[in-house]
Amino acid sequence: MTIDSVKSHFRKLGREGDILEFDQSSATVELAAAALGVEPARIAKTLSFRGEGERALLIVSAGNTKIDNKKFKKTFGFKARFLSPVEVLEQTGHEVGGVCPFGLKNDCDVFIDISVKEFNTLFPACGSSNSAIELANEELFQISGAKDWVDICKPQEQVSNI
């Protein structure tokens, strides 16, 4: 898996050339924002949770948000529990720092938080800790194969220590 599976995913869409690769790490929201020269909120981070049964649940949100546990439970009917780094790799094929909803090893349930709608374009990772692609929020939804838009993040003004 890794960036090669993501490149293959975007090759099918004629967008492989749009993937950006950096000399420096973009493994965190802050590092990605610095590498791209954008505000951290425009980094589309992908968070990995235990879903129903063996399926992972991926949530893509704006870089300056945090999951609201009450909203998560109300939306999905179970408590938010992050996958371990080993489980993330097993489920997605991507290591923490490069997790994205593209080129996945297994079928995962992908949801996009409405926090991304604040921006015309965002930058999700592309399967490695030094890559990204710029996508419009609707492109992100479509290309990721997201099941739905969700509202499970704390409002941005309530977020501290991203």
Side-chain angles (χ1 to χ4, degrees), residues 116-131:
V116 305
K117 289 186 175 186
E118 182 177 335
F119 308 98
N120 291 327
T121 63
L122 296 103
F123 295 89
C126 287
S128 71
S129 62
N130 66 329
S131 63

Side-chain angles (χ1 to χ4, degrees), residues 3 5-22 26-27 32-33 35-46 60-61 94 97-103 112 116 119-144:
I3 193 167
S5 65
V6 176
K7 285 182 177 180
S8 176
H9 181 84
F10 280 100
R11 187 176 308 121
K12 295 172 190 170
L13 302 170
R15 301 281 307 269
E16 179 183 7
D18 295 339
I19 294 174
L20 306 168
E21 293 184 77
F22 314 109
S26 59
L36 289 157
V38 300
E39 63 182 296
R42 287 192 56 210
I43 303 304
K45 63 183 178 181
T46 303
V60 182
S61 68
H94 308 310
V99 178
C100 62
F102 321 113
I112 312 293
V116 305
F119 308 98
N120 291 327
T121 63
L122 296 103
F123 295 89
C126 287
S128 71
S129 62
N130 66 329
S131 63
I133 188 167
E134 184 174 15
L135 297 173
N137 57 46
E138 283 295 332
E139 285 181 308
L140 175 61
F141 184 89
Q142 292 170 2
I143 293 172
S144 69

Side-chain angles (χ1 to χ4, degrees), residues 39-56:
E39 63 182 296
R42 287 192 56 210
I43 303 304
K45 63 183 178 181
T46 303
L47 303 171
S48 308
F49 297 92
R50 297 181 200 287
E52 297 283 2
E54 296 296 313
R55 274 178 99 98

Side-chain angles (χ1 to χ4, degrees), residues 55-58 91-92 104-110 145 147:
R55 274 178 99 98
L57 174 68
L58 304 181
Q91 287 289 327
T92 67
L104 298 169
K105 179 179 178 181
N106 297 312
D107 286 334
C108 300
D109 293 326
V110 178
K147 290 183 162 246

